[in-house]
Amino acid sequence: MAATIFLGVESSCDDTSIAVINNEGTILANVVSSQIKEHAPFGGVVPELASRAHLRNIPVVFQQAMDQAQIGLDDIDVVAVTHGPGLIGSLLVGVNFAKSLAFGRNLPLVPVNHIRGHIRALFLEHGDLPLPALTLIVSGGHTHLFLVETPDHFVLLAKTRDDAAGEAFDKLAKMLDLGFPGGAIVDKLAQSGDPKAFPFNMPRFSDGALDYSFSGLKTAAAHQLRRDPQRFSEPEGQAIRDLCASFQSAVVRHLLQRVRQALKVEKVASLSLGGGVACNSHLRQSFRELGDKYRLPTYITAPKLSTDNAAMIAAEGRHLFQQGITGSLDLNPEVRLNAFDEVRLLTGR
Ligand code: KG4
Ligand code: ZN
């Protein structure tokens, strides 16, 4: 029997991506076109520019993916597309592209939740993870701690009340005029900085909730800058490196603080980490150390499968399709879309 070919389409934020995987979950192509050049002058993603760039990029990215996978239109069996959460204009481009393709070729269309796609990337790369898995998904738009009980049942344990962790990195980089997107630049500069140079308090809530929060860390960094601007005037100088290292250390401490708290109440068989911020070298190392300490097998997506990509969307599409789940051609984007099946928030009380 010929392999079933799944096409994945991702356009929820500022990366246009199309991927091809087969029914065994082998990645035949995973083309990502980033829009860094478009957004860099503004120090952040400009939604209107993002949707226009998706429109320009998507036919080119599609052709590249087809060439890389060495397939033609006739070979595609199933179309999977991110329908949320994300930016409305950006989502519309991918959803309409996928709908047109499914309609024109008479193919099944599978709507995919972007965040569930980040979780599925862990399965795509590492196979069957020992479950339940405590799974941290950290990106530019989301910070979620899940208990993945089965391949289909995700319990939300904690999420951010304000900024996402990646957004906090990006805002620090903007404050320090380091460039866009900031996470990777902060990571690089932090490597030659002192993580103890600047104090950062761990976020606390008066209601005892164990949510995430990153806006206070960002404000504390802004306060250091305002207090002594002269100290930070040398581009990429030691003070900037020290602030990057101290900030990064605080973000990672806060991320892992909740993982430790979850380990006190949930019995888990593995730890896993995904999303764009999973590229962060300090987070990767600290996460592995935590896994070693608790003697838990630890899984982290490779950088290419951590940042936004369509292979994870194709993988989630394959997973849903194999259970008989498909969508219809009147699919619309959903700006807000929950990724969990159950909520069991951590609490300090
Ligand atoms: O998953 P992703 O590609 O897009 C979203 O779904 O948001 O994540 C992008 C985020 C950006 O905020 C970027 O700054 C951050 O991931 N990021 C990093 C690193 N590489 C990417 N943050 C910290 N350290 C890194 N090395
Ligand atoms: Zn993402």
Side-chain angles (χ1 to χ4, degrees):
M1 202 181 82
T4 309
I5 295 289
F6 295 85
L7 189 89
V9 181
E10 159 62 37
S11 72
S12 64
C13 188
D14 62 336
D15 290 307
T16 320
S17 180
I18 296 201
V20 180
I21 69 170
N22 65 17
N23 50 335
E24 288 178 335
T26 306
I27 302 175
L28 306 179
N30 185 20
V31 179
V32 182
S33 166
S34 107
Q35 302 178 2
I36 291 175
K37 275 205 204 96
E38 263 91 354
H39 305 292
F42 305 95
V45 176
V46 182
E48 184 57 23
L49 293 182
S51 39
R52 286 173 200 222
H54 283 307
L55 267 179
R56 279 196 307 276
N57 294 344
I58 210 161
V60 182
V61 171
F62 174 67
Q63 195 52 54
Q64 285 173 350
M66 300 293 281
D67 293 348
Q68 222 176 73
Q70 298 186 329
I71 59 165
L73 269 178
D74 284 346
D75 298 309
I76 304 171
D77 297 301
V78 180
V79 183
V81 61
T82 305
H83 72 123
L87 302 169
I88 183 68
S90 291
L91 288 166
L92 266 169
V93 177
V95 167
N96 280 320
F97 180 85
K99 274 164 50 165
S100 314
L101 189 63
F103 176 70
R105 309 293 304 177
N106 197 20
L107 298 173
L109 178 72
V110 186
V112 169
N113 178 308
H114 178 85
I115 301 171
R116 290 179 86 96
H118 276 297
I119 298 176
R120 196 65 57 202
L122 284 156
F123 290 86
L124 177 65
E125 184 170 349
H126 301 290
D128 291 334
L129 310 178
L131 299 179
L134 194 53
T135 302
L136 180 62
I137 301 295
V138 244
S139 72
H142 317 279
T143 305
H144 286 132
L145 182 62
F146 295 101
L147 184 68
V148 175
E149 288 193 320
T150 74
D152 300 290
H153 193 82
F154 305 160
V155 182
L156 179 72
L157 300 178
K159 67 174 168 44
T160 182
R161 281 199 181 187
D162 40 58
D163 295 347
E167 191 179 354
F169 276 115
D170 295 338
K171 285 180 176 169
L172 176 76
K174 193 171 178 182
M175 259 186 251
L176 293 171
D177 218 3
L178 300 179
F180 168 84
I185 307 170
V186 171
D187 186 354
K188 189 162 158 271
L189 292 174
Q191 280 163 23
S192 48
D194 174 6
K196 296 204 168 72
F198 296 96
F200 283 95
N201 294 327
M202 285 297 96
R204 275 171 172 278
F205 302 111
S206 52
D207 60 5
L210 297 182
D211 289 339
Y212 283 115
S213 167
F214 295 94
S215 72
L217 298 178
K218 176 194 68 192
T219 308
H223 182 67
Q224 296 291 351
L225 269 179
R226 264 200 312 273
R227 224 168 57 170
D228 193 356
Q230 203 52 36
R231 192 170 167 197
F232 296 95
S233 57
E234 186 195 339
E236 302 196 2
Q238 196 55 47
I240 289 186
R241 291 166 192 269
D242 289 346
L243 188 60
C244 287
S246 304
F247 182 85
Q248 175 179 273
S249 157
V251 169
V252 170
R253 232 180 315 139
H254 184 40
L255 285 170
L256 298 193
Q257 180 184 33
R258 299 293 183 244
V259 176
R260 270 196 211 91
Q261 281 155 337
L263 284 170
K264 285 188 196 157
V265 287
E266 301 292 351
K267 205 168 156 31
V268 310
S270 63
L271 294 184
S272 50
L273 171 67
V277 182
C279 295
N280 184 269
S281 55
H282 180 50
L283 178 59
R284 292 179 88 85
Q285 190 190 345
S286 308
F287 199 78
R288 286 203 190 285
E289 285 169 5
L290 187 74
D292 288 347
K293 190 171 158 215
Y294 284 83
R295 294 175 194 275
L296 289 169
T298 302
Y299 303 90
I300 307 178
T301 38
K304 183 107 211 257
L305 289 177
S306 298
T307 48
D308 286 350
N309 68 88
M312 68 186 199
I313 304 305
E316 175 68 355
R318 163 181 171 259
H319 180 78
L320 295 171
F321 183 77
Q322 287 175 343
Q323 293 169 76
I325 301 170
T326 56
S328 66
L329 286 173
D330 58 7
L331 179 71
N332 279 317
E334 305 276 350
V335 171
R336 271 174 284 278
L337 197 59
N338 286 330
F340 48 81
D341 306 287
E342 188 187 330
V343 181
R344 206 187 297 154
L345 294 181
L346 298 173
T347 158
R349 297 234 164 100

